[in-house]
Amino acid sequence: MGGFTEEQIAQWGLTVGVGGFILYMMFIIVQLARESKAGKFGTFVLFLVLGFGVLGFVAKNIIAWLLNI
């Protein structure tokens, strides 16, 4: 398909697809904070708790890049 290998397509899909999903999740967190009238501290807690998954995904990619995996 266009000179790309299956591995390249999968890596691109993972990076762009999950990246887009993360941005959508951030939008959902903002909407949740607004609708629940969580305030500044409540919004911070929502982003902290729900953002740990994002942090794990980013850390995995950074570690794999540093180790050249």
Side-chain angles (χ1 to χ4, degrees), residues 5-64:
T5 65
E6 181 182 355
E7 181 181 356
Q8 289 172 326
I9 294 171
Q11 182 62 35
W12 185 82
L14 177 68
T15 304
V16 173
V18 174
F21 183 65
I22 288 171
L23 288 175
Y24 183 62
M25 284 177 45
M26 293 299 159
F27 171 75
I28 291 172
I29 294 170
V30 169
Q31 287 298 105
L32 182 63
R34 280 188 194 154
E35 289 179 9
S36 67
K37 297 180 177 126
K40 289 182 182 180
F41 181 70
T43 303
F44 171 75
V45 170
L46 282 170
F47 271 101
L48 179 70
V49 172
L50 298 175
F52 270 121
V54 173
L55 181 65
F57 178 74
V58 171
K60 178 194 78 82
N61 284 326
I62 290 172
I63 291 169

